[in-house]
Amino acid sequence: MTQPPPPPPNQPPQQGGFGPPQDQPPQPAQPAQPGQPQQPPGQQQPGYGYPQPPQPPQTPPGYGYPQATAPQTPPPPPGYGYPGQQPNPYGQQPNPYGQQPDYGYPQQTMPLQPQPGQPAGGGRKFNAQLAIIVAAVVAIALIVGGGVWYASTSGDEGGKKDDTASSGGGTGGTDDKDGGSTGGGDTDGSGGTTGTSTTPVEKVPGNPASKVLFQVPAPEVGKDSTISTAGSWLTDKVYAKSGVAEVVGYDPDKGTKLWTIKLPGPVCQGSNHVTTDGRTAVIYQPEMPTKAEPSHGCSQVAGLDLAAGKKLWTKTANSGDEPISFNNVTVSADTVAVGSSSGGAAFDLGSGKQLWAPKPTDTCYDAGYGGGAKLVAVRRCGSYDAPELHIQTLDPKSGKVISEYKMAQGIAYASVVSTDPLVVAADIGEAAKDGSGISDFFSIDNKTGKLRTRISAPSDQYAASCDGITKIEECHQIAVGNDRLYLPTEEDDGAEKYSRANAIVAIDLATGKPTGQRADSGDDYTISPLRMDGTNLIAYKRPPYDKGGQIVSIDGGSFKETKLLENPATESVRDVETSMSPDYSEYHYSQGRLFMSALFASHLSGSDKEYLVIAFGAS
């Protein structure tokens, strides 16, 4: 049974922030609900167990699945936080105060030409009256609904000490230790890390046919509850995966448990990056959700040692007297950075020492960070209806701004696709009619903060997606390497009659123009970029109803495709494989092994057995 997780809850900006000192005038504190993440009006009825965002459409088994024998449930309409189906023309005037715009995409005038290189000073104060209204509506929604959902996927890049493993969810990202780029999170799967090597390391097998190495059943949860299980990582010696209020290390070949790290509450999100010695970070709730307290907020930040299977430390950061509920966690060098609509903070990965913290005089805040090879902050200034985003490359130890790019006023949210080279995605004027969160990519020079090129990515042409509203580093089906952006196209007619297919194309990050390179999926497959392997691209091909999925390597020059892995076509195995999807699951591929995992566990009344993890390897 298909189980795509919902996107994370959307949250409006709040007062205050962290990061490098900004010479800003004082600003009144914003009211907040203790222990709960702030959310905007218009929230759907929450479900017990976690903050509830909209439910994405159910993922079909694959192209070519016989419709007579597998009727599909009509997908629900786009939920809270997704852009409305009616396009908002670029440049439309903003809604007057008091109207209810689609949250996450305020309708406002947005200049076409971003202004690079401007300092992040003089931001306008956030409207305190709006914050009070938002807080009140959130409190009512939680009381009436009796619960909330939360699920996370993560895009992946990697970094200097960030490439032995990474956490994944979906696909997209930047270079890994092998010079590759992954997005969705890992140096070996669909998430990405960044390095300097340009030599591919994935070997072509004599026989790509795979078998199931192991499966982990979905954990049991209470009736009508859904619990986040976001976060997974792969190193040379362990595959680690979040369960319900725990992180478990498995033998990557046998699936036997090596260790378990117990936590008092569910993991909200795991970093997409892991250091070379196997350390990473997570954010989690301090307690398990209940009907009375459906969410305790993602206020706990912890460093994890995946090699030893232990928690290194746990920290929090406050906004006033209340702990901040974080939306985003990443790792760059030895720094753990966490962001939210209340601002960002950073800790030393080894000791847990706080590196920067809230400042009462801040009028801007770090909404989130991209990690890996470099640390990049998305800093939000201005008022709610006239936001200003500053894309800042930071020194990971001090938080000092190294370079800055100021996006056009009115662009409210942005996602960090890659930190080196620096690539940012945004949905300008709600042009992405499919809710993907992407209308344009911005290729930015890390050293100078100047815009290299802006790339238009119409949502009816490309299938990638990002959630810049809360997660910042959560992009899927995107990879960056060879100074190119790799994107999947939307589905179209295949070569055979009634078949469907898509392709991966490359776009030059210096010129913004397509290179002409194209890798076709083949009839009734859907191809998605996972990560880079040196100069080669690793991609996943989701199968049709009668075949197994494939992992392929695409040559960075010729774009010639080489099959690395092909999964069994057995119906029972294929059903588990296709219950995962590149947009709503975590993928890791390395050394002939593919790991796919779910982002949440829920109580289901159906007879179909659900799985948390399925792993494939050479047969």
Side-chain angles (χ1 to χ4, degrees), residues 159-221:
K160 302 173 184 177
K161 297 182 66 180
D162 191 75
D163 302 302
T164 303
S166 327
S167 163
T171 57
T174 63
D175 300 306
D176 60 26
K177 67 175 180 180
D178 308 314
S181 166
T182 73
D186 65 7
T187 53
D188 37 48
S190 65
T193 52
T194 307
T196 56
S197 172
T198 57
T199 304
V201 298
E202 298 296 343
K203 306 301 182 185
V204 178
N207 180 6
S210 76
K211 64 179 181 181
V212 176
L213 297 177
F214 64 89
Q215 298 177 91
V216 179
E220 295 184 5
V221 298

Side-chain angles (χ1 to χ4, degrees), residues 404-424:
E404 177 178 79
Y405 171 72
K406 183 180 177 181
M407 302 190 78
Q409 187 179 43
I411 299 177
Y413 303 98
S415 297
V416 177
V417 177
S418 163
T419 61
D420 189 20
L422 179 53
V423 180
V424 173

